[in-house]
Amino acid sequence: MRPRQHSINILAGLTLLAGLFLLTACISRPAGLLRPNGVAVAPDGSLYIMDRGNNRIVHLSAAGEWLGAFGQLGTKVDDIYAGWDIDLDAAGNIYFCNLVSAEDGLFRAHEGVKAFTPAGRFWRELGGQDYGYADPVETYTPYGLDIDDQGWVYIAGFDSNAVRVFNPAGVEQASLFGQQGSGDGQFNGLADVAVDDQRGLLYAVDQFNSRVQQFSLSRTTAGAITASYRLNFGAYGREAGQFAYPQNIVVDDQSGRVYVGDMGNRRIQVFDAEGQYLTEFSAPGNWQILGLDLGADGAVYAADALNNVIWVFGPEGQLRRRLEVQP
């Protein structure tokens, strides 16, 4: 029995070593993207991608070369549980929405917007809160965000239908909107937000009402912020200027053009600052738009959660290239 057991132990040891070798090899190689739902373009043209299915942030060069990644599944402050959307501030810090549905095996949840340094180290969290599912706590469900040219952070709350605004020091200054409905300034699934710094406009995606609402922003020297309803565009449908559950939005401060990820219709639609339809474009074949950003030259970057790639278009919609992480 002993010689046979000894052989089994040796075999088990070799199997374990082989497994560890393969695991190490897998860790050292970049895995492909899995359900990416956010993309942010840095000033140097490199990309930060919310790789939701792999619970990490991936960094690619402008040419799509692997530069690194950080993050892992977990509930600690430097972990990523369920990341949504992504944006960068002027210092290169990386912000993303995060929602923990069940923390440490308990019937408790956590939500907030996490910020990491360019080196991939946890820096701070905005609007973070823990709550039990039966607690009388207002849940925001952060779903999309934008950072303006002064470093103010705007966070779209999908369940609360509110936009929370934080100043550059990370202090909440306002909670805008917050009513469910279909009237002016009301929302049903506030999915994303974008700020036009040049024109002082705030755009908010009203997903289940299949429209985009536009507001004039006003900020006092004391930091008080108000948003006045200006107009809305879109309605449910398949025609030009209509939406089927829009998801993401980004605005070109120079031209005033607004790019909307029309998820249900599998296209990106473009509007001017008055909400007038201009054009539309899409990637070849079937795809799912979950994340938008603009490059310095006006190029449009779209995260495709179905094909696990990033598509790059010219400002008028001409396809430039497809970026993917080769495992």
Side-chain angles (χ1 to χ4, degrees):
M1 291 295 295
R2 286 184 180 178
R4 182 171 182 271
Q5 184 66 47
H6 184 64
S7 299
I8 292 174
N9 290 340
I10 292 175
L11 180 60
L14 291 174
T15 302
L16 177 61
L17 287 174
L20 290 173
F21 175 79
L22 289 174
L23 178 61
T24 303
C26 290
I27 292 174
S28 64
R29 295 178 61 189
L33 298 175
L34 181 61
R35 301 289 294 166
N37 64 7
V39 58
V41 185
D44 63 0
S46 66
L47 308 180
Y48 289 89
I49 302 165
M50 170 49 69
D51 189 9
R52 183 178 186 274
N54 288 315
N55 307 98
R56 65 180 181 177
I57 305 294
V58 170
H59 190 197
L60 300 181
S61 72
E65 299 164 330
W66 176 268
L67 297 178
F70 64 87
Q72 61 183 1
L73 176 63
T75 59
K76 300 190 298 297
V77 294
D78 54 350
D79 291 333
I80 301 173
Y81 193 90
W84 285 94
D85 206 5
I86 190 169
D87 202 8
L88 309 176
D89 66 15
N93 297 306
I94 305 147
Y95 291 71
F96 62 91
C97 304
N98 190 64
L99 178 67
V100 179
S101 57
E103 190 168 6
D104 296 331
L106 304 175
F107 291 103
R108 297 190 62 79
H110 180 87
E111 64 178 29
V113 167
K114 292 187 176 185
F116 283 70
T117 68
R121 296 186 179 90
F122 175 78
W123 175 35
R124 66 183 183 183
E125 184 178 44
L126 304 182
Q129 64 171 350
D130 287 292
Y131 55 89
Y133 294 122
D135 293 349
V137 175
E138 180 180 16
T139 59
Y140 293 94
T141 315
Y143 216 58
L145 76 157
D146 192 27
I147 304 174
D148 70 17
D149 60 357
Q150 300 300 310
W152 290 65
V153 184
Y154 299 76
I155 304 169
F158 190 82
D159 287 337
S160 65
N161 294 301
V163 174
R164 303 174 77 183
V165 187
F166 292 79
N167 67 20
V171 178
E172 184 173 359
Q173 294 293 114
S175 182
L176 308 173
F177 322 124
Q179 289 188 338
Q180 182 171 342
S182 57
D184 298 343
Q186 297 178 334
F187 295 87
N188 187 5
L190 207 168
D192 200 10
V193 63
V195 176
D196 183 337
D197 296 301
Q198 294 284 342
R199 296 161 186 80
L201 299 174
L202 174 70
Y203 291 89
V205 176
D206 191 1
Q207 188 173 79
F208 294 120
N209 287 322
S210 290
R211 64 179 180 175
V212 173
Q213 297 195 60
Q214 184 199 79
F215 303 84
S216 296
L217 276 179
S218 176
R219 187 163 66 217
T220 67
T221 54
I225 292 181
T226 58
S228 303
Y229 173 83
R230 190 167 182 267
L231 57 85
N232 73 76
F233 52 93
Y236 182 81
R238 307 291 180 182
E239 302 300 321
Q242 297 179 332
F243 300 114
Y245 311 110
Q247 177 74 36
N248 296 99
I249 189 169
V250 66
V251 59
D252 186 333
D253 291 341
Q254 300 302 316
S255 66
R257 284 186 161 205
V258 183
Y259 297 83
V260 182
D262 187 7
M263 183 176 61
N265 288 322
R266 299 187 295 275
R267 63 186 176 183
I268 296 171
Q269 295 200 68
V270 190
F271 301 82
D272 66 16
E274 296 302 319
Q276 298 299 309
Y277 170 84
L278 298 176
T279 188
E280 65 184 65
F281 53 91
S282 63
N286 196 10
W287 68 315
Q288 185 181 27
I289 315 151
L290 285 180
L292 287 175
D293 201 15
L294 299 179
D297 64 348
V300 182
Y301 293 74
D304 180 354
L306 182 62
N307 298 296
N308 299 315
V309 300
I310 305 297
W311 298 98
V312 186
F313 304 89
E316 302 299 327
Q318 63 275 29
L319 182 59
R320 290 185 176 177
R321 60 187 183 274
R322 162 184 167 139
L323 303 177
E324 59 185 310
V325 175
Q326 295 291 344

